[in-house]
Every structure is written in structure tokens, then in C-alpha cells.
Amino acid sequence: MWNVNLRGDRSLTLRHTQHNNRPLDQSASEVLKHVARLWGFGVQLESVNGGGEVTAQWAVPAPQG
């Protein structure tokens, strides 16, 4: 867990640190859908390389209903 916006939309930001600069698969967005359903609010995921640079981002909005 990297950040939670408690004063705003209650979104959750997760951060993945790459091992040997290997990126996450694009199926990470499917996992985020499940996390958002459990969390009940929007979820973002950032993938960071060894230098601390964000190399990829995914976002899933808050579940409806």
C-alpha cells in the first residue's frame, strides 16, 4: 500500500517495485478490479523501476452498486 485518500474519494494507491526491471503483465488490471470490489472505492497501481521512476500505471474506478 502506498497511499489512501482518506479526505477525498477514499481511493487506494498500490505500488509495485520491479525486480530486475521486469514489468507486471497487463492482466494486473483484472486483479485491480477484484481489489476495488473488496475495497469498495477506486484503486490505482503504480509499477516503479529500480530508479524509482513510475513505468506503468493502472486505475480502476469505484465499483457501482
Side-chain angles (χ1 to χ4, degrees):
M1 183 171 65
W2 183 254
N3 189 26
V4 176
N5 184 349
L6 292 176
R7 295 182 183 204
D9 62 1
R10 302 184 69 87
S11 63
L12 175 67
T13 302
L14 304 172
R15 185 166 271 196
H16 162 258
T17 303
Q18 297 174 357
H19 178 69
N20 292 331
N21 288 326
R22 293 184 64 193
L24 289 174
D25 188 72
Q26 290 300 319
S27 64
S29 63
E30 291 299 316
V31 174
L32 282 185
K33 289 179 186 177
H34 295 289
V35 174
R37 185 176 49 82
L38 293 170
W39 180 246
F41 300 96
V43 178
Q44 294 85 37
L45 173 62
E46 301 174 342
S47 187
V48 182
N49 66 15
E53 300 169 330
V54 176
T55 59
Q57 293 180 319
W58 295 266
V60 175
Q64 300 297 317

